[in-house]
Amino acid sequence: HSGWAIEGAIGSEFKVDASYLSANVKLANSIETATQTYDVNILLSGEIYSGISHEMRRLCRQIDVVRFPGSTSAMRLFTIDLEPTRVKVQPSPSRPEKSRYKLRMMREATKEARWLATYIPSDQFTSDQLLVTMRERFVPSFAQRFEMGFRNYECGEWNDACRILFEASEIIGGDGPARALISFMNSISSPIDGSAPKSWRGVRLLVL
């Protein structure tokens, strides 16, 4: 999330830390907590989505429109589909001090390069094999099916939304956001025909 905040120093004469106060800080904390609700590794607010490149936007998936308690504004939530568990972590071999120093310098050079205007973050999703591996499961047919189900969810066609989102989840063997939306719809839909409440306007109150 992004937005204004007031920075202040707290502590004592022995230790001083920076602290940030604003409604945006609280919202950022709520968004981080909401990753557990949707079972995703990262969530982005609509404010962040609006500020990134068109190439990065194409890598994002909108998963809900929510209002957090205490806020009067609706917020779009996005995720970037990644599955870190698909990457095998190799044990780090012991290296002599000179080799460790060289690796540190290489890491620093890589970080510096990513501050250059010529660096395009979205390119990493096709050139970095680790990122490619983490995105393998999220095939185009899944993305298309999920988007169709999400549009039905937004406009209140919940019977179709539940069916399509379930189908989307089945394509990849399970999807956290699809499960979260289906669970929410089942919790407040009509017990007679499964339709959305008459008061539904495409925004849910997300209580964490």
Tab-separated table of all heavy atoms in Angstrom, residues 119-168:
chain	number	residue	atom	x	y	z
A	119	TYR	N	16.592	-0.560	-15.870
A	119	TYR	CA	16.141	-1.827	-15.290
A	119	TYR	C	14.630	-1.942	-15.411
A	119	TYR	O	13.889	-1.035	-15.017
A	119	TYR	CB	16.561	-1.916	-13.822
A	119	TYR	CG	16.050	-3.155	-13.127
A	119	TYR	CD1	16.543	-4.410	-13.456
A	119	TYR	CD2	15.061	-3.056	-12.143
A	119	TYR	CE1	16.081	-5.547	-12.827
A	119	TYR	CE2	14.590	-4.199	-11.508
A	119	TYR	CZ	15.098	-5.432	-11.858
A	119	TYR	OH	14.627	-6.557	-11.241
A	120	ILE	N	14.140	-3.047	-15.953
A	120	ILE	CA	12.700	-3.285	-16.133
A	120	ILE	C	12.316	-4.510	-15.297
A	120	ILE	O	12.598	-5.652	-15.679
A	120	ILE	CB	12.359	-3.517	-17.620
A	120	ILE	CG1	12.824	-2.325	-18.454
A	120	ILE	CG2	10.851	-3.758	-17.797
A	120	ILE	CD1	12.643	-2.506	-19.945
A	121	PRO	N	11.664	-4.293	-14.148
A	121	PRO	CA	11.347	-5.410	-13.244
A	121	PRO	C	10.534	-6.523	-13.902
A	121	PRO	O	10.757	-7.706	-13.625
A	121	PRO	CB	10.549	-4.733	-12.120
A	121	PRO	CG	10.995	-3.306	-12.147
A	121	PRO	CD	11.266	-2.993	-13.588
A	122	SER	N	9.596	-6.170	-14.774
A	122	SER	CA	8.732	-7.198	-15.374
A	122	SER	C	9.520	-8.193	-16.217
A	122	SER	O	9.092	-9.344	-16.389
A	122	SER	CB	7.647	-6.536	-16.232
A	122	SER	OG	8.225	-5.733	-17.241
A	123	ASP	N	10.683	-7.782	-16.732
A	123	ASP	CA	11.501	-8.700	-17.535
A	123	ASP	C	11.990	-9.895	-16.721
A	123	ASP	O	12.255	-10.967	-17.279
A	123	ASP	CB	12.707	-7.965	-18.123
A	123	ASP	CG	12.320	-7.042	-19.270
A	123	ASP	OD1	11.154	-7.099	-19.711
A	123	ASP	OD2	13.172	-6.255	-19.716
A	124	GLN	N	12.111	-9.701	-15.400
A	124	GLN	CA	12.612	-10.779	-14.549
A	124	GLN	C	11.671	-11.993	-14.546
A	124	GLN	O	12.104	-13.117	-14.329
A	124	GLN	CB	12.793	-10.277	-13.110
A	124	GLN	CG	13.813	-9.169	-12.956
A	124	GLN	CD	15.207	-9.614	-13.342
A	124	GLN	OE1	15.700	-10.615	-12.838
A	124	GLN	NE2	15.836	-8.883	-14.237
A	125	PHE	N	10.399	-11.749	-14.825
A	125	PHE	CA	9.428	-12.840	-14.769
A	125	PHE	C	9.538	-13.781	-15.973
A	125	PHE	O	8.907	-14.837	-15.990
A	125	PHE	CB	8.017	-12.272	-14.659
A	125	PHE	CG	7.714	-11.706	-13.294
A	125	PHE	CD1	8.125	-10.432	-12.952
A	125	PHE	CD2	7.039	-12.461	-12.356
A	125	PHE	CE1	7.857	-9.905	-11.697
A	125	PHE	CE2	6.773	-11.956	-11.096
A	125	PHE	CZ	7.190	-10.666	-10.767
A	126	THR	N	10.320	-13.397	-16.963
A	126	THR	CA	10.580	-14.295	-18.089
A	126	THR	C	12.041	-14.716	-18.168
A	126	THR	O	12.357	-15.752	-18.747
A	126	THR	CB	10.186	-13.627	-19.423
A	126	THR	OG1	10.842	-12.349	-19.535
A	126	THR	CG2	8.679	-13.425	-19.505
A	127	SER	N	12.936	-13.935	-17.559
A	127	SER	CA	14.364	-14.246	-17.650
A	127	SER	C	14.916	-14.951	-16.414
A	127	SER	O	15.906	-15.676	-16.494
A	127	SER	CB	15.174	-12.969	-17.900
A	127	SER	OG	15.035	-12.061	-16.820
A	128	ASP	N	14.302	-14.736	-15.260
A	128	ASP	CA	14.762	-15.362	-14.020
A	128	ASP	C	14.107	-16.733	-13.883
A	128	ASP	O	12.890	-16.839	-13.713
A	128	ASP	CB	14.405	-14.476	-12.827
A	128	ASP	CG	15.018	-14.973	-11.526
A	128	ASP	OD1	14.914	-16.184	-11.244
A	128	ASP	OD2	15.595	-14.153	-10.795
A	129	GLN	N	14.897	-17.786	-13.930
A	129	GLN	CA	14.354	-19.142	-13.922
A	129	GLN	C	13.611	-19.464	-12.632
A	129	GLN	O	12.642	-20.237	-12.632
A	129	GLN	CB	15.475	-20.162	-14.151
A	129	GLN	CG	14.982	-21.585	-14.379
A	129	GLN	CD	13.955	-21.672	-15.502
A	129	GLN	OE1	14.173	-21.144	-16.592
A	129	GLN	NE2	12.831	-22.341	-15.243
A	130	LEU	N	14.026	-18.867	-11.520
A	130	LEU	CA	13.330	-19.105	-10.258
A	130	LEU	C	11.906	-18.556	-10.316
A	130	LEU	O	10.951	-19.209	-9.885
A	130	LEU	CB	14.098	-18.481	-9.094
A	130	LEU	CG	15.470	-19.087	-8.783
A	130	LEU	CD1	16.119	-18.348	-7.629
A	130	LEU	CD2	15.344	-20.566	-8.464
A	131	LEU	N	11.755	-17.334	-10.852
A	131	LEU	CA	10.424	-16.745	-10.980
A	131	LEU	C	9.573	-17.522	-11.982
A	131	LEU	O	8.373	-17.725	-11.779
A	131	LEU	CB	10.528	-15.278	-11.401
A	131	LEU	CG	11.010	-14.303	-10.327
A	131	LEU	CD1	11.213	-12.905	-10.914
A	131	LEU	CD2	10.013	-14.238	-9.172
A	132	VAL	N	10.204	-17.967	-13.064
A	132	VAL	CA	9.481	-18.767	-14.063
A	132	VAL	C	8.948	-20.039	-13.411
A	132	VAL	O	7.785	-20.430	-13.620
A	132	VAL	CB	10.399	-19.109	-15.255
A	132	VAL	CG1	9.736	-20.131	-16.178
A	132	VAL	CG2	10.747	-17.844	-16.037
A	133	THR	N	9.785	-20.691	-12.602
A	133	THR	CA	9.371	-21.915	-11.915
A	133	THR	C	8.225	-21.642	-10.947
A	133	THR	O	7.260	-22.421	-10.861
A	133	THR	CB	10.566	-22.529	-11.155
A	133	THR	OG1	11.602	-22.837	-12.080
A	133	THR	CG2	10.150	-23.788	-10.404
A	134	MET	N	8.305	-20.521	-10.212
A	134	MET	CA	7.269	-20.204	-9.240
A	134	MET	C	5.923	-19.869	-9.884
A	134	MET	O	4.885	-19.929	-9.230
A	134	MET	CB	7.720	-19.044	-8.353
A	134	MET	CG	8.756	-19.433	-7.320
A	134	MET	SD	9.077	-18.121	-6.106
A	134	MET	CE	10.279	-17.130	-6.996
A	135	ARG	N	5.935	-19.533	-11.182
A	135	ARG	CA	4.691	-19.174	-11.869
A	135	ARG	C	4.180	-20.281	-12.800
A	135	ARG	O	3.147	-20.112	-13.444
A	135	ARG	CB	4.902	-17.887	-12.684
A	135	ARG	CG	4.984	-16.650	-11.814
A	135	ARG	CD	5.218	-15.400	-12.651
A	135	ARG	NE	4.122	-15.113	-13.558
A	135	ARG	CZ	2.992	-14.486	-13.221
A	135	ARG	NH1	2.798	-14.107	-11.967
A	135	ARG	NH2	2.058	-14.246	-14.116
A	136	GLU	N	4.870	-21.400	-12.852
A	136	GLU	CA	4.517	-22.467	-13.794
A	136	GLU	C	3.075	-22.942	-13.652
A	136	GLU	O	2.399	-23.224	-14.642
A	136	GLU	CB	5.460	-23.667	-13.601
A	136	GLU	CG	6.802	-23.511	-14.275
A	136	GLU	CD	7.710	-24.700	-14.007
A	136	GLU	OE1	7.437	-25.488	-13.072
A	136	GLU	OE2	8.720	-24.833	-14.743
A	137	ARG	N	2.591	-23.046	-12.443
A	137	ARG	CA	1.277	-23.636	-12.193
A	137	ARG	C	0.130	-22.735	-12.656
A	137	ARG	O	-0.965	-23.208	-12.959
A	137	ARG	CB	1.127	-23.933	-10.694
A	137	ARG	CG	-0.067	-24.797	-10.345
A	137	ARG	CD	0.063	-25.345	-8.938
A	137	ARG	NE	0.063	-24.283	-7.949
A	137	ARG	CZ	-1.026	-23.930	-7.243
A	137	ARG	NH1	-2.177	-24.535	-7.438
A	137	ARG	NH2	-0.951	-22.973	-6.341
A	138	PHE	N	0.393	-21.427	-12.737
A	138	PHE	CA	-0.679	-20.470	-13.028
A	138	PHE	C	-0.806	-20.268	-14.542
A	138	PHE	O	-0.363	-19.255	-15.104
A	138	PHE	CB	-0.407	-19.156	-12.300
A	138	PHE	CG	-0.280	-19.348	-10.811
A	138	PHE	CD1	0.972	-19.470	-10.212
A	138	PHE	CD2	-1.406	-19.446	-10.021
A	138	PHE	CE1	1.090	-19.660	-8.849
A	138	PHE	CE2	-1.303	-19.641	-8.648
A	138	PHE	CZ	-0.048	-19.758	-8.060
A	139	VAL	N	-1.421	-21.216	-15.189
A	139	VAL	CA	-1.529	-21.249	-16.650
A	139	VAL	C	-2.580	-20.238	-17.124
A	139	VAL	O	-3.471	-19.838	-16.366
A	139	VAL	CB	-1.894	-22.670	-17.134
A	139	VAL	CG1	-0.754	-23.624	-16.846
A	139	VAL	CG2	-3.183	-23.155	-16.461
A	140	PRO	N	-2.508	-19.804	-18.402
A	140	PRO	CA	-3.455	-18.810	-18.923
A	140	PRO	C	-4.918	-19.223	-18.783
A	140	PRO	O	-5.773	-18.375	-18.511
A	140	PRO	CB	-3.044	-18.686	-20.397
A	140	PRO	CG	-1.593	-19.022	-20.413
A	140	PRO	CD	-1.433	-20.094	-19.378
A	141	SER	N	-5.233	-20.500	-18.964
A	141	SER	CA	-6.624	-20.935	-18.855
A	141	SER	C	-7.170	-20.707	-17.448
A	141	SER	O	-8.360	-20.390	-17.272
A	141	SER	CB	-6.743	-22.418	-19.228
A	141	SER	OG	-5.927	-23.221	-18.388
A	142	PHE	N	-6.314	-20.841	-16.446
A	142	PHE	CA	-6.723	-20.559	-15.071
A	142	PHE	C	-7.047	-19.082	-14.911
A	142	PHE	O	-8.081	-18.710	-14.345
A	142	PHE	CB	-5.634	-20.973	-14.080
A	142	PHE	CG	-5.739	-20.266	-12.755
A	142	PHE	CD1	-6.723	-20.614	-11.851
A	142	PHE	CD2	-4.860	-19.231	-12.438
A	142	PHE	CE1	-6.841	-19.944	-10.627
A	142	PHE	CE2	-4.966	-18.554	-11.230
A	142	PHE	CZ	-5.964	-18.916	-10.322
A	143	ALA	N	-6.141	-18.211	-15.397
A	143	ALA	CA	-6.328	-16.767	-15.255
A	143	ALA	C	-7.613	-16.310	-15.933
A	143	ALA	O	-8.369	-15.492	-15.389
A	143	ALA	CB	-5.127	-16.022	-15.831
A	144	GLN	N	-7.883	-16.839	-17.116
A	144	GLN	CA	-9.087	-16.462	-17.848
A	144	GLN	C	-10.338	-16.912	-17.107
A	144	GLN	O	-11.327	-16.175	-17.016
A	144	GLN	CB	-9.045	-17.069	-19.246
A	144	GLN	CG	-7.942	-16.494	-20.131
A	144	GLN	CD	-7.646	-17.362	-21.335
A	144	GLN	OE1	-8.315	-18.367	-21.580
A	144	GLN	NE2	-6.614	-17.001	-22.092
A	145	ARG	N	-10.308	-18.129	-16.579
A	145	ARG	CA	-11.480	-18.666	-15.869
A	145	ARG	C	-11.711	-17.911	-14.568
A	145	ARG	O	-12.849	-17.612	-14.210
A	145	ARG	CB	-11.269	-20.150	-15.596
A	145	ARG	CG	-12.551	-20.943	-15.401
A	145	ARG	CD	-13.338	-21.007	-16.667
A	145	ARG	NE	-14.599	-21.738	-16.485
A	145	ARG	CZ	-15.690	-21.508	-17.182
A	145	ARG	NH1	-15.700	-20.566	-18.095
A	145	ARG	NH2	-16.780	-22.210	-16.973
A	146	PHE	N	-10.632	-17.613	-13.857
A	146	PHE	CA	-10.781	-16.883	-12.595
A	146	PHE	C	-11.369	-15.497	-12.860
A	146	PHE	O	-12.258	-15.051	-12.121
A	146	PHE	CB	-9.438	-16.734	-11.875
A	146	PHE	CG	-9.551	-15.987	-10.567
A	146	PHE	CD1	-9.805	-16.676	-9.386
A	146	PHE	CD2	-9.437	-14.606	-10.523
A	146	PHE	CE1	-9.940	-15.995	-8.183
A	146	PHE	CE2	-9.579	-13.912	-9.324
A	146	PHE	CZ	-9.826	-14.610	-8.160
A	147	GLU	N	-10.871	-14.807	-13.873
A	147	GLU	CA	-11.382	-13.463	-14.165
A	147	GLU	C	-12.877	-13.506	-14.490
A	147	GLU	O	-13.639	-12.642	-14.056
A	147	GLU	CB	-10.616	-12.834	-15.328
A	147	GLU	CG	-11.052	-11.400	-15.597
A	147	GLU	CD	-10.247	-10.712	-16.685
A	147	GLU	OE1	-9.386	-11.376	-17.299
A	147	GLU	OE2	-10.492	-9.519	-16.931
A	148	MET	N	-13.298	-14.517	-15.229
A	148	MET	CA	-14.717	-14.657	-15.552
A	148	MET	C	-15.538	-14.853	-14.276
A	148	MET	O	-16.583	-14.223	-14.079
A	148	MET	CB	-14.931	-15.832	-16.498
A	148	MET	CG	-16.371	-15.997	-16.958
A	148	MET	SD	-16.589	-17.453	-18.013
A	148	MET	CE	-15.517	-17.027	-19.397
A	149	GLY	N	-15.054	-15.723	-13.379
A	149	GLY	CA	-15.744	-15.951	-12.121
A	149	GLY	C	-15.765	-14.709	-11.251
A	149	GLY	O	-16.771	-14.403	-10.598
A	150	PHE	N	-14.654	-13.971	-11.255
A	150	PHE	CA	-14.574	-12.759	-10.432
A	150	PHE	C	-15.560	-11.712	-10.922
A	150	PHE	O	-16.191	-11.019	-10.108
A	150	PHE	CB	-13.149	-12.209	-10.455
A	150	PHE	CG	-12.973	-10.966	-9.625
A	150	PHE	CD1	-12.922	-11.052	-8.244
A	150	PHE	CD2	-12.888	-9.715	-10.215
A	150	PHE	CE1	-12.787	-9.911	-7.463
A	150	PHE	CE2	-12.751	-8.574	-9.444
A	150	PHE	CZ	-12.695	-8.678	-8.059
A	151	ARG	N	-15.719	-11.563	-12.231
A	151	ARG	CA	-16.673	-10.583	-12.770
A	151	ARG	C	-18.098	-10.960	-12.375
A	151	ARG	O	-18.914	-10.091	-12.059
A	151	ARG	CB	-16.539	-10.483	-14.293
A	151	ARG	CG	-15.186	-9.986	-14.781
A	151	ARG	CD	-14.770	-8.713	-14.102
A	151	ARG	NE	-13.378	-8.362	-14.400
A	151	ARG	CZ	-12.662	-7.530	-13.665
A	151	ARG	NH1	-13.189	-6.962	-12.588
A	151	ARG	NH2	-11.411	-7.267	-13.992
A	152	ASN	N	-18.403	-12.248	-12.382
A	152	ASN	CA	-19.723	-12.696	-11.934
A	152	ASN	C	-19.921	-12.409	-10.451
A	152	ASN	O	-21.010	-12.017	-10.022
A	152	ASN	CB	-19.901	-14.187	-12.209
A	152	ASN	CG	-20.301	-14.483	-13.634
A	152	ASN	OD1	-21.474	-14.472	-13.981
A	152	ASN	ND2	-19.319	-14.737	-14.490
A	153	TYR	N	-18.870	-12.601	-9.666
A	153	TYR	CA	-18.916	-12.303	-8.228
A	153	TYR	C	-19.203	-10.827	-8.003
A	153	TYR	O	-20.071	-10.459	-7.200
A	153	TYR	CB	-17.581	-12.709	-7.602
A	153	TYR	CG	-17.246	-12.057	-6.288
A	153	TYR	CD1	-17.884	-12.444	-5.104
A	153	TYR	CD2	-16.258	-11.067	-6.222
A	153	TYR	CE1	-17.552	-11.854	-3.889
A	153	TYR	CE2	-15.921	-10.474	-5.010
A	153	TYR	CZ	-16.572	-10.854	-3.859
A	153	TYR	OH	-16.248	-10.273	-2.661
A	154	GLU	N	-18.491	-9.969	-8.732
A	154	GLU	CA	-18.668	-8.531	-8.566
A	154	GLU	C	-20.091	-8.074	-8.872
A	154	GLU	O	-20.662	-7.247	-8.148
A	154	GLU	CB	-17.705	-7.766	-9.486
A	154	GLU	CG	-16.355	-7.487	-8.897
A	154	GLU	CD	-15.588	-6.481	-9.720
A	154	GLU	OE1	-15.488	-6.665	-10.944
A	154	GLU	OE2	-15.084	-5.501	-9.142
A	155	CYS	N	-20.673	-8.607	-9.942
A	155	CYS	CA	-21.992	-8.128	-10.372
A	155	CYS	C	-23.139	-8.881	-9.707
A	155	CYS	O	-24.307	-8.642	-10.033
A	155	CYS	CB	-22.121	-8.171	-11.884
A	155	CYS	SG	-22.152	-9.825	-12.580
A	156	GLY	N	-22.825	-9.784	-8.769
A	156	GLY	CA	-23.864	-10.425	-7.982
A	156	GLY	C	-24.425	-11.707	-8.555
A	156	GLY	O	-25.399	-12.251	-8.023
A	157	GLU	N	-23.828	-12.229	-9.618
A	157	GLU	CA	-24.258	-13.512	-10.187
A	157	GLU	C	-23.510	-14.638	-9.467
A	157	GLU	O	-22.616	-15.274	-10.009
A	157	GLU	CB	-23.961	-13.541	-11.696
A	157	GLU	CG	-24.660	-12.461	-12.489
A	157	GLU	CD	-26.163	-12.681	-12.553
A	157	GLU	OE1	-26.609	-13.832	-12.336
A	157	GLU	OE2	-26.893	-11.709	-12.805
A	158	TRP	N	-23.903	-14.870	-8.217
A	158	TRP	CA	-23.082	-15.704	-7.347
A	158	TRP	C	-23.162	-17.192	-7.653
A	158	TRP	O	-22.204	-17.921	-7.402
A	158	TRP	CB	-23.440	-15.424	-5.889
A	158	TRP	CG	-22.804	-14.151	-5.405
A	158	TRP	CD1	-22.126	-13.232	-6.170
A	158	TRP	CD2	-22.768	-13.656	-4.071
A	158	TRP	NE1	-21.676	-12.193	-5.391
A	158	TRP	CE2	-22.058	-12.420	-4.094
A	158	TRP	CE3	-23.274	-14.107	-2.867
A	158	TRP	CZ2	-21.838	-11.668	-2.963
A	158	TRP	CZ3	-23.056	-13.353	-1.722
A	158	TRP	CH2	-22.348	-12.147	-1.756
A	159	ASN	N	-24.260	-17.674	-8.175
A	159	ASN	CA	-24.319	-19.085	-8.532
A	159	ASN	C	-23.300	-19.403	-9.622
A	159	ASN	O	-22.547	-20.383	-9.531
A	159	ASN	CB	-25.730	-19.459	-8.998
A	159	ASN	CG	-26.698	-19.579	-7.836
A	159	ASN	OD1	-26.450	-20.313	-6.888
A	159	ASN	ND2	-27.795	-18.847	-7.898
A	160	ASP	N	-23.281	-18.552	-10.647
A	160	ASP	CA	-22.299	-18.728	-11.720
A	160	ASP	C	-20.888	-18.499	-11.198
A	160	ASP	O	-19.948	-19.206	-11.570
A	160	ASP	CB	-22.589	-17.770	-12.876
A	160	ASP	CG	-23.841	-18.159	-13.644
A	160	ASP	OD1	-24.218	-19.340	-13.597
A	160	ASP	OD2	-24.437	-17.273	-14.276
A	161	ALA	N	-20.739	-17.488	-10.324
A	161	ALA	CA	-19.413	-17.160	-9.786
A	161	ALA	C	-18.823	-18.340	-9.023
A	161	ALA	O	-17.656	-18.699	-9.223
A	161	ALA	CB	-19.500	-15.938	-8.881
A	162	CYS	N	-19.602	-18.954	-8.158
A	162	CYS	CA	-19.110	-20.092	-7.370
A	162	CYS	C	-18.687	-21.240	-8.278
A	162	CYS	O	-17.627	-21.851	-8.081
A	162	CYS	CB	-20.182	-20.556	-6.391
A	162	CYS	SG	-20.387	-19.480	-4.951
A	163	ARG	N	-19.515	-21.523	-9.273
A	163	ARG	CA	-19.212	-22.635	-10.183
A	163	ARG	C	-17.931	-22.363	-10.975
A	163	ARG	O	-17.054	-23.223	-11.069
A	163	ARG	CB	-20.380	-22.848	-11.141
A	163	ARG	CG	-20.125	-23.889	-12.226
A	163	ARG	CD	-21.354	-24.079	-13.104
A	163	ARG	NE	-21.801	-22.826	-13.691
A	163	ARG	CZ	-21.264	-22.271	-14.787
A	163	ARG	NH1	-20.233	-22.862	-15.396
A	163	ARG	NH2	-21.733	-21.140	-15.276
A	164	ILE	N	-17.821	-21.160	-11.522
A	164	ILE	CA	-16.666	-20.835	-12.374
A	164	ILE	C	-15.388	-20.732	-11.544
A	164	ILE	O	-14.317	-21.200	-11.960
A	164	ILE	CB	-16.926	-19.539	-13.160
A	164	ILE	CG1	-18.114	-19.726	-14.102
A	164	ILE	CG2	-15.688	-19.130	-13.955
A	164	ILE	CD1	-18.599	-18.439	-14.754
A	165	LEU	N	-15.472	-20.129	-10.366
A	165	LEU	CA	-14.290	-20.020	-9.512
A	165	LEU	C	-13.824	-21.396	-9.050
A	165	LEU	O	-12.617	-21.650	-8.948
A	165	LEU	CB	-14.588	-19.128	-8.303
A	165	LEU	CG	-14.699	-17.628	-8.599
A	165	LEU	CD1	-15.226	-16.880	-7.385
A	165	LEU	CD2	-13.351	-17.051	-9.034
A	166	PHE	N	-14.763	-22.293	-8.792
A	166	PHE	CA	-14.386	-23.667	-8.423
A	166	PHE	C	-13.662	-24.334	-9.587
A	166	PHE	O	-12.635	-25.005	-9.391
A	166	PHE	CB	-15.625	-24.469	-8.037
A	166	PHE	CG	-15.326	-25.901	-7.694
A	166	PHE	CD1	-14.811	-26.239	-6.458
A	166	PHE	CD2	-15.541	-26.910	-8.629
A	166	PHE	CE1	-14.521	-27.563	-6.142
A	166	PHE	CE2	-15.257	-28.230	-8.330
A	166	PHE	CZ	-14.743	-28.567	-7.080
A	167	GLU	N	-14.178	-24.146	-10.800
A	167	GLU	CA	-13.536	-24.719	-11.981
A	167	GLU	C	-12.132	-24.154	-12.168
A	167	GLU	O	-11.197	-24.884	-12.514
A	167	GLU	CB	-14.383	-24.446	-13.221
A	167	GLU	CG	-15.721	-25.188	-13.238
A	167	GLU	CD	-16.648	-24.715	-14.346
A	167	GLU	OE1	-16.280	-23.757	-15.076
A	167	GLU	OE2	-17.737	-25.291	-14.483
A	168	ALA	N	-11.992	-22.846	-11.943
A	168	ALA	CA	-10.671	-22.215	-12.065
A	168	ALA	C	-9.697	-22.814	-11.067
A	168	ALA	O	-8.553	-23.139	-11.404
A	168	ALA	CB	-10.793	-20.706	-11.847
